[in-house]
Amino acid sequence: MSFWRMAVLVGVLYPMCSHGADAVRIAFIDPISGTFSATGTNTLHQFEFAAEELVNKKAGVLGGRRFEIVALDNKASPRESQIQLKRAIGEGIQIIAQGNSSAVANAVTDAVRKHNRRNPANRVLYLNYSAVDPALTNDKCHFWHFRFDAHAEIKMAALTDVIAKQENIEKIYIIGQDYSFGKAVAAAAVKFLGQKRPDMAILGNELHPIGRVKDFTPYVTKIQSSGAQAIITGNWGADMVGLGKAIVDAGMNVPIYTYYAAFDGVTATMGKAGKGKIRLVHEGHYNPVPTKRLRDYHSAFKAKYPDHDLSNQRVYNVIEILAKAIDKAGSSDPLPVARALEGIEHTTLGGERVFMRREDHQLFQPLQISVHTDEGIEFDGDNSGFGLRTEESVPLENTLVETTCKMTRPQS
Amino acid sequence: MAKVRGLLVWIASLAVLLLLPGLFDSVLSLSILNQMGITIIFALSYNMLLGQGGMLSFGHAVYFGLGGFMAVHSLNYIEAEVFSLPVILLPLIGGLFGLLFAVFIGSFSTRRAGTVFAMISLGIGEMIAACSLIFVGFFGGEEGISGDRTMAPEFFGFDFAQDLEVYYLIAGWVFVATLLMYLFSQTPAGRIANAVRDNPERAEFIGYSQRMVRFISFCGAGFFAGVAGGLFAINYEILTEENLNAITSGNVLLMTYIGGTGVFVGPIVGAVLLTLLQTVLSNYTELWQLYVGLLFVATVMFMPAGLTGVLMIHTVAWKNGRLRQLILPYITVGVPAFVLLCAIVGLLEMLQFYRHGVVGEHEMTLFFVSVDTSSVWPWIVTLLIAATAGYLVKALTPRLLSAWASANAPLERAKT
Amino acid sequence: MVEIVIFSTLNGLVTGLLLFMLASGLTLIFSMMGILNFAHASFYMLGAYFAYSVSLFLGFWPGLIVAPLLVGVLGALVERYGLRYVHKSGHVAELVFTFGLAFFIEELVQFAWGKETKNYQQPEILDFPLFTLFGQNFPAYKGFMIFISIAIFIGLYQVITRTRIGLIIQAAISHPNAVSSLGHNVPLIFMGAFGVGTALAGVAGVIAGPVLTTFPGMALVLGSIVFVIVVVGGLGSLTGALIASLLIGLLQSYAIALEFAVNDLLALFDISFDADHFLNDLWTLSLPQIAPVLPYLLLVLILIFRPTGLLGKRET
């Protein structure tokens, strides 16, 4: 009893937990609450799992240092991310991982650039694992930003290759979220379709507020009555769940070409109604699984987090490549690590070769186009029995695109 | 005498403001201090409405946000060399636009107080927040507007690249703004605002238009909210829709109310406390917002005068020289109450861990004790502690109340 | 065009009637007690979450009965032990209390159910298209939503206009003091009204949960729009609330469907602007964009020019 009271008093006077003294800490700044919490929480678990499984369970980095993921909730807001970034820097964290929403990424990359310029002694590294606004590795590129996901244009190039082959599709509708990413998707779709299928009519190019629309029925009514034969959307998280639900409810029966229409509730929502209709462009492999390493990794993840999915396969790339770069640099300080990351080559769990291009810090990797189905599924999504099965693969060579990035590199 | 003492208080607070970064010099504490400074001005400006004027606003963030947006646009204009202005004067721009907008909105919203005013403020708040996603040119849409404070001309060699420089800028503004708001509360206009709050009809009878009085308070509040917004723009260099939406408006109400609306320093206490909870407590527990919610509801129910209000009711006992009589009863009730609180927190944390923790992990650290949530013992022990402490609190409270009554009883001398 | 009109009307009806279910309870509370209950939408959220939990064990239908009852009891308790206690601290304190309660309930929901969206599904028995028009399905569940809302409106209307309790409620709305002096237990009536009002919000939550997704922010989304309806509809007027709800529901669905922009209007007069004009946002302003602003504009205008609301008898 008295021990408990003592403990209680001590506990209030002192912090309740302490950080491992020499762990390499990575701040994970993404939505853990709010509309997009499902996406953020799921990815957080993937980061924690990758750090544990791929680094800590092995020898760690630099001869025994662990990776520690520090989750900071940004509620998917650019402003809150800025506050959380300051906080991470204040706690001495040197590596920032962020991915959900390009609006946030634009704010974070800007803040990191400014911070590193003003505080050369106290720099941070920004690992962008998911924000795919092309500008981030083009006009807005800088030395401290590295992107591990193929950007919106690269993905759209792959998607439109598939769409262009569908002779029966003559009328298409584009709908997306009203911010830089949604606009980038729409612009890329218009550009590539104009080149590959000039005869295809784009009936609508609609942007809706991000995370605010709860009932997509009015939008679907509009799409349906326009007579579209296919839909392109870059929606993710709750916005994809909502759109999917409205499409299913309205009984619309057209193919949907997407970036993120799987997991975090989307797969369960689309279920049988979406079978064979949804195509999705992504990195990595869900089904079939190409290597034993990936299968073991995926099974171990599902064993530990039965209610979550390995939705972002790039996460394990981020952790493995970062560990590799830290070991190569012989230090976890941002500058040597960033130098080591430039041009780094890596073979993923799925056995694919990827590389981080030096010119713009964009990771290039093979892409897959998969279909939402329940046939031939080993690893499903949302425990629904449905999942993604690879239909086509785009080799790395076909994903290379030009960049307008003019990188200036710090001397010291 | 009182004047000298008042002056001393101001000098002391200025010294504290100047010395704080020496005590807390880490990057983290500096950024917390900066955030605190901004919130203090914002909360004080809110209290010009709620505490001094009796106007409950659900849209005060509008003036904060608009001031901030104007400041950040000004930063960009300065960078583009449209005009030039030292960063240190930027909050003034924010304040002026906050004022301008408050003049416009106040011209019709202050006609009435009470629910009508509250509803209009809510409507305006939601309207402006919705507009911010439409007028992308001004508000920047989802991404908001960013600026760079170091692009402004240097101010006596300071370019404000470092947080420490920004701290002194904010501290200076906190001092000036607090002083001005205090002086305002002492002017006839400020006094009459209190009168209108308490009894609008009487105020009318003695010749003051209640509408005009409310309007003046409203404009002042808008100005200082804009100043706080300008400081936000300097500190974070980004403004988004959230700076003017209902959540920011709600937060300022929350901290002002918890701190206490009846005392001038109330909002300062609230702002400091809430910022600390937000930045420090959130490091240790995911449930911090639940605790803030509990604190808020408990404040409204049991201490409607806020934390400082609770302190203020001790002045009678203090003047009577009987404050000492209360010390022992406070300790005897306070200790079990504190233990009860800790036990409740422990239970909540254990529940949270049990429900949302990772499969297969049962060990958690609670107040430095390692607890296995899969066993029943920690639950039983914590419940027992809570029950015992709860019983003690209940048993000892009457004594505290009687001590309170005797300490506050009028002095014999006063009767004669 | 015809199909857009038909489906937009239907969509607007569904949204509008759902809002009405929420607003009817709030109107009842507001007009009797003079309290704008900020936590009203939070009770709606609680309804959805309770029903979700019940549906995990017993299915959808028991949830439709149990959840609103739970919410109603909770609401009555809040009135009895919270609001009545705060009442002595004045009107502002009451408003702040309900505001704090809304904040607290949101945190409580996140604590009890987690932060993520819940997979609360509509019953399978209603998972079929009610009818198909122009190749577009109208889900049976939405038909069910419309049916329940209309049933509630008729039921409430009958109770208020035809029964003795209704008469007392009507009297309590317009002359609370007189009712009290006639020997009616006004505090008990208040508690009952609060319980029934929140239970109605609970029903709305149960029904809306599967459609508008069950997540911790669902109260915030609808919170302020319900105030708009109550104020616009007018104090104590059920019919006013119905009209305002439908107005806002239809406004929202039509605004998305019809893509008129300021540009189109200007084009009629042969005026056009460059895309880089600094007021470009203004010229390209379209109906879907300004739709979210309109309800609040309406609220402010009503408060300024007609504080009694559309059909209200007393001032707000």
Side-chain angles (χ1 to χ4, degrees):
Chain A
M1 223 13 213
S2 61
F3 172 71
W4 261 85
R5 269 193 196 178
M6 264 297 287
V8 162
L9 281 172
V10 169
V12 170
L13 294 176
Y14 293 93
M16 289 186 226
C17 59
S18 58
H19 304 293
D22 56 353
V24 175
R25 285 187 292 157
I26 301 164
F28 172 86
I29 304 184
D30 260 313
I32 299 169
S33 63
T35 311
F36 294 108
S37 61
T39 316
T41 315
N42 200 1
T43 317
L44 172 62
H45 290 319
Q46 294 171 61
F47 262 99
E48 286 170 338
F49 184 74
E52 199 56 38
E53 198 75 11
L54 300 172
V55 177
N56 298 350
K57 274 194 185 166
K58 297 178 181 169
V61 290
L62 300 173
R65 291 178 64 187
R66 297 160 48 84
F67 270 12
E68 185 187 322
I69 309 291
V70 181
L72 296 171
D73 183 12
N74 71 358
K75 306 178 177 73
S77 123
R79 181 193 69 134
E80 194 61 30
S81 312
Q82 191 96 337
I83 294 171
Q84 297 302 335
L85 177 69
K86 279 207 168 197
R87 193 163 138 186
I89 294 170
E91 297 195 359
I93 297 174
Q94 293 179 306
I95 299 168
I96 311 290
Q98 183 274 335
N100 287 318
S101 162
S102 292
V104 171
N106 277 318
V108 171
T109 199
D110 193 40
V112 165
R113 189 173 48 78
K114 277 186 221 160
H115 172 82
N116 287 357
R117 194 183 63 215
R118 293 171 193 171
N119 305 280
N122 187 18
R123 288 166 173 153
V124 292
L125 189 63
Y126 172 27
L127 308 178
N128 165 7
Y129 69 87
S130 205
V132 297
D133 179 357
L136 289 164
T137 47
N138 283 290
D139 293 343
K140 291 182 181 168
C141 79
H142 62 86
F143 180 72
W144 308 101
H145 166 264
F146 291 87
R147 171 151 59 195
F148 291 81
D149 194 6
H151 69 59
E153 260 196 63
I154 304 174
K155 287 187 174 183
M156 188 49 82
L159 265 186
T160 44
D161 276 341
V162 177
I163 299 172
K165 282 183 220 154
Q166 311 297 316
E167 297 290 332
N168 55 340
I169 299 179
E170 285 164 349
K171 293 180 277 185
I172 202 158
Y173 203 100
I174 307 169
I175 181 164
Q177 294 151 315
D178 191 3
Y179 75 112
S180 59
F181 163 69
K183 288 175 190 160
V185 169
V190 171
K191 179 177 128 189
F192 288 123
L193 287 178
Q195 290 167 4
K196 295 170 188 171
R197 281 287 298 275
D199 61 308
M200 195 179 279
I202 296 172
L203 296 180
N205 192 344
E206 179 124 18
L207 296 170
H208 64 78
I210 168 175
R212 285 184 178 80
V213 180
K214 292 306 160 203
D215 183 7
F216 277 88
T217 318
Y219 291 97
V220 172
T221 298
K222 205 163 146 188
I223 297 174
Q224 175 100 338
S225 52
S226 75
Q229 293 160 325
I231 302 173
I232 296 181
T233 179
N235 279 16
W236 54 277
D239 282 340
M240 189 62 230
V241 178
L243 181 63
K245 200 169 199 166
I247 290 174
V248 170
D249 280 351
M252 250 192 115
N253 193 18
V254 297
I256 310 166
Y257 295 91
T258 73
Y259 282 47
Y260 303 114
F263 312 110
D264 307 332
V266 185
T267 305
T269 305
M270 298 311 287
K272 209 161 56 195
K275 182 178 172 182
K277 277 196 271 183
I278 299 172
R279 300 286 183 295
L280 191 148
V281 57
H282 62 91
E283 78 295 333
H285 295 267
Y286 298 97
N287 302 288
V289 187
T291 62
K292 182 174 178 304
R293 271 190 82 197
L294 183 56
R295 175 172 289 118
D296 292 345
Y297 181 80
H298 205 149
S299 309
F301 180 84
K302 285 301 280 187
K304 187 163 185 189
Y305 299 102
D307 296 333
H308 291 278
D309 288 304
L310 201 64
S311 56
N312 292 327
Q313 301 229 346
R314 48 196 173 268
V315 169
Y316 57 70
N317 290 343
V318 176
I319 294 294
E320 278 204 317
I321 293 174
L322 176 67
K324 204 171 185 176
I326 289 178
D327 275 334
K328 192 171 140 197
S331 153
S332 66
D333 287 341
L335 183 63
V337 175
R339 283 186 177 145
L341 277 173
E342 288 200 302
I344 200 167
E345 292 194 18
H346 176 69
T347 305
T348 67
L349 289 181
E352 291 167 329
R353 196 182 69 86
V354 303
F355 80 101
M356 178 65 74
R357 187 159 74 179
R358 198 179 132 77
E359 287 78 24
D360 54 353
H361 295 185
Q362 167 72 48
L363 188 81
F364 285 91
Q365 52 196 333
L367 294 175
Q368 267 67 241
I369 300 200
S370 293
V371 63
H372 168 97
T373 179
D374 59 350
E375 289 164 23
I377 297 297
E378 185 181 347
F379 293 107
D380 65 351
D382 301 334
N383 298 327
S384 64
F386 284 85
L388 295 172
R389 200 186 67 224
T390 306
E391 277 194 336
E392 282 190 52
S393 291
V394 185
L396 184 141
E397 297 73 41
N398 293 6
T399 65
L400 297 177
V401 291
E402 303 272 300
T403 176
T404 58
C405 174
K406 292 187 188 64
M407 184 95 54
T408 49
R409 294 183 167 74
Q411 297 309 309
S412 61
Chain B
M1 190 58 201
K3 262 192 180 169
V4 176
R5 210 160 60 198
L7 201 64
L8 278 178
V9 169
W10 286 103
I11 294 173
S13 17
L14 185 62
V16 168
L17 280 177
L18 290 176
L19 291 177
L20 269 178
L23 285 171
F24 305 97
D25 57 349
S26 72
V27 184
L28 183 63
S29 38
L30 259 186
S31 77
I32 294 178
L33 285 177
N34 285 352
Q35 196 178 335
M36 242 176 228
I38 297 165
T39 357
I40 285 175
I41 301 186
F42 190 29
L44 277 174
S45 81
Y46 186 75
N47 205 33
M48 288 179 84
L49 293 178
L50 181 59
Q52 292 163 27
M55 290 173 274
L56 178 61
S57 165
F58 291 106
H60 198 48
V62 166
Y63 312 96
F64 176 83
L66 284 177
F69 270 106
M70 281 320 293
V72 95
H73 277 296
S74 305
L75 269 180
N76 288 331
Y77 282 131
I78 293 169
E79 191 176 342
E81 294 179 347
V82 177
F83 59 83
S84 183
L85 190 83
V87 169
I88 194 161
L89 291 180
L90 215 56
L92 203 60
I93 293 199
L96 286 177
F97 277 91
L99 175 68
L100 202 70
F101 206 69
V103 168
F104 172 60
I105 300 295
S107 65
F108 55 84
S109 76
T110 53
R111 279 213 297 220
R112 283 157 212 255
T115 312
V116 175
F117 175 84
M119 282 297 103
I120 292 186
S121 72
L122 179 94
I124 300 278
E126 293 282 353
M127 239 166 77
I128 301 291
C131 279
S132 72
L133 296 174
I134 300 174
F135 298 107
V136 180
F138 183 77
F139 294 106
E142 286 296 330
E143 270 147 66
I145 300 281
S146 311
D148 188 340
R149 62 181 180 232
T150 57
M151 290 302 162
E154 292 192 355
F155 181 77
F156 293 113
F158 295 113
D159 65 351
F160 297 101
Q162 298 305 317
D163 278 356
L164 186 63
E165 294 162 287
V166 175
Y167 170 79
Y168 283 114
L169 191 159
I170 292 178
W173 273 98
V174 167
F175 186 76
V176 172
T178 310
L179 187 64
L180 287 176
M181 278 187 266
Y182 179 75
L183 290 179
F184 175 80
S185 73
Q186 302 301 311
T187 58
R191 296 289 188 187
I192 288 299
N194 292 354
V196 168
R197 169 197 66 195
D198 297 334
N199 196 334
E201 280 177 0
R202 266 198 191 177
E204 289 259 344
F205 281 137
I206 54 171
Y208 290 96
S209 148
Q210 46 166 315
R211 187 180 164 184
M212 201 59 208
V213 172
R214 275 198 293 266
F215 179 68
I216 291 172
S217 299
F218 190 82
C219 293
F223 175 78
F224 287 107
V227 168
L231 289 171
F232 188 97
I234 295 174
N235 191 35
Y236 292 104
E237 300 176 289
I238 185 171
L239 268 110
T240 63
E241 181 259 351
E242 292 141 88
N243 288 105
L244 22 84
N245 72 10
I247 294 172
T248 310
S249 296
N251 270 335
V252 71
L253 162 62
L254 207 98
M255 59 181 95
T256 311
Y257 209 88
I258 288 179
T261 53
V263 188
F264 182 77
V265 290
I268 304 184
V269 173
V272 170
L273 183 72
L274 263 281
T275 315
L276 279 179
L277 289 180
Q278 229 171 62
T279 49
V280 181
L281 187 64
S282 61
N283 277 354
Y284 301 121
T285 167
E286 273 182 55
L287 297 179
W288 69 275
Q289 278 176 304
L290 182 67
Y291 300 139
V292 172
L294 267 174
L295 176 66
F296 187 32
V297 173
T299 308
V300 182
M301 287 192 66
F302 305 115
M303 4 178 224
L307 294 179
T308 50
V310 170
L311 291 181
M312 288 307 282
I313 54 172
H314 289 87
T315 42
V316 176
W318 186 58
K319 281 187 178 151
N320 288 356
R322 288 176 180 166
L323 205 54
R324 212 179 290 165
Q325 296 175 6
L326 287 173
I327 294 176
L328 194 67
Y330 267 147
I331 292 176
T332 49
V333 177
V335 171
F338 182 70
V339 173
L340 175 67
L341 197 72
C342 288
I344 293 174
V345 167
L347 274 179
L348 289 175
E349 292 290 333
M350 272 155 60
L351 254 174
Q352 168 82 357
F353 184 84
Y354 182 73
R355 293 177 47 96
H356 301 292
V358 179
V359 182
E361 282 181 20
H362 305 295
E363 290 279 310
M364 71 178 286
T365 316
L366 190 68
F367 299 126
F368 261 137
V369 182
S370 188
V371 176
D372 182 358
T373 51
S374 64
S375 130
V376 284
W377 287 110
W379 301 88
I380 293 178
V381 170
T382 323
L383 275 172
L384 271 178
I385 295 178
T388 320
Y391 172 75
L392 283 175
V393 171
K394 208 168 156 63
L396 293 170
T397 305
R399 273 200 232 171
L400 173 65
L401 289 180
S402 65
W404 175 257
S406 77
N408 282 293
L411 288 178
E412 297 292 317
R413 187 155 40 90
K415 273 183 188 169
T416 52
Chain C
M1 196 61 205
V2 182
E3 56 180 301
I4 288 198
V5 170
I6 291 175
F7 274 94
S8 294
T9 311
L10 282 172
N11 293 338
L13 267 180
V14 172
T15 326
L17 287 171
L18 181 77
L19 287 174
F20 168 72
M21 259 192 279
L22 263 175
S24 57
L26 189 63
T27 304
L28 203 65
I29 294 169
F30 185 32
S31 21
M32 288 178 76
M33 310 171 66
I35 300 169
L36 262 180
N37 179 16
F38 260 86
H40 198 71
S42 309
F43 288 105
Y44 149 84
M45 171 158 76
L46 281 177
Y49 272 95
F50 283 146
Y52 162 73
S53 289
V54 171
S55 76
L56 288 183
F57 300 103
L58 302 171
F60 178 87
W61 300 104
L64 184 60
I65 310 291
V66 175
L69 285 179
L70 277 176
V71 175
V73 169
L74 210 66
L77 289 177
V78 163
E79 200 282 330
R80 175 67 187 78
Y81 294 101
L83 264 181
R84 207 177 289 179
Y85 188 84
V86 176
H87 183 72
K88 62 182 190 302
S89 313
H91 205 63
V92 168
E94 283 177 323
L95 263 182
V96 175
F97 173 76
T98 62
F99 177 79
L101 196 65
F103 183 86
F104 180 63
I105 290 179
E106 189 176 329
E107 297 308 325
L108 207 62
V109 161
Q110 297 194 15
F111 172 68
W113 283 278
K115 290 173 176 172
E116 68 278 358
T117 304
K118 288 293 164 208
N119 184 23
Y120 175 33
Q121 294 293 344
Q122 58 204 45
E124 263 177 41
I125 200 170
L126 288 175
D127 200 5
F128 64 95
L130 193 62
F131 57 84
T132 307
L133 257 182
F134 306 102
Q136 196 159 340
N137 292 343
F138 188 73
Y141 189 74
K142 293 204 164 164
F144 169 70
M145 286 171 78
I146 294 182
F147 168 75
I148 289 276
S149 320
I150 292 180
I152 284 183
F153 174 69
I154 295 176
L156 266 183
Y157 199 81
Q158 293 294 332
V159 167
I160 287 186
T161 51
R162 299 285 162 84
T163 63
R164 198 179 140 70
I165 296 176
L167 281 179
I168 299 172
I169 290 176
Q170 276 192 3
I173 289 173
S174 48
H175 305 286
N177 293 333
V179 172
S180 169
S181 12
L182 284 175
H184 294 286
N185 187 347
V186 171
L188 188 72
I189 298 176
F190 280 2
M191 191 172 107
F194 208 87
V196 172
T198 47
L200 282 175
V203 178
V206 179
I207 290 174
V211 178
L212 299 181
T213 59
T214 309
F215 68 107
M218 64 190 291
L220 199 68
V221 174
L222 286 187
S224 5
I225 208 97
V226 183
F227 289 142
V228 176
I229 291 165
V230 171
V231 171
V232 170
L235 209 59
S237 168
L238 214 53
T239 322
L242 181 69
I243 293 173
S245 311
L246 290 178
L247 187 71
I248 285 175
L250 290 172
L251 193 75
Q252 285 182 344
S253 84
Y254 268 98
I256 292 169
L258 306 172
E259 211 158 319
F260 292 127
V262 177
N263 264 338
D264 303 333
L265 190 69
L266 292 176
L268 290 179
F269 302 100
D270 255 345
I271 310 170
S272 68
F273 289 92
D274 294 337
D276 53 356
H277 191 278
F278 82 109
L279 282 178
N280 188 37
D281 286 335
L282 202 59
W283 311 136
T284 53
L285 210 59
S286 64
L287 210 50
Q289 278 183 309
I290 54 169
V293 183
L294 294 178
Y296 300 105
L297 189 65
L298 195 63
L299 169 73
V300 173
L301 292 179
I302 288 270
L303 282 171
I304 296 172
F305 296 109
R306 198 184 153 83
T308 53
L310 289 180
L311 296 179
K313 299 175 187 86
R314 265 193 302 154
E315 284 202 356
T316 308

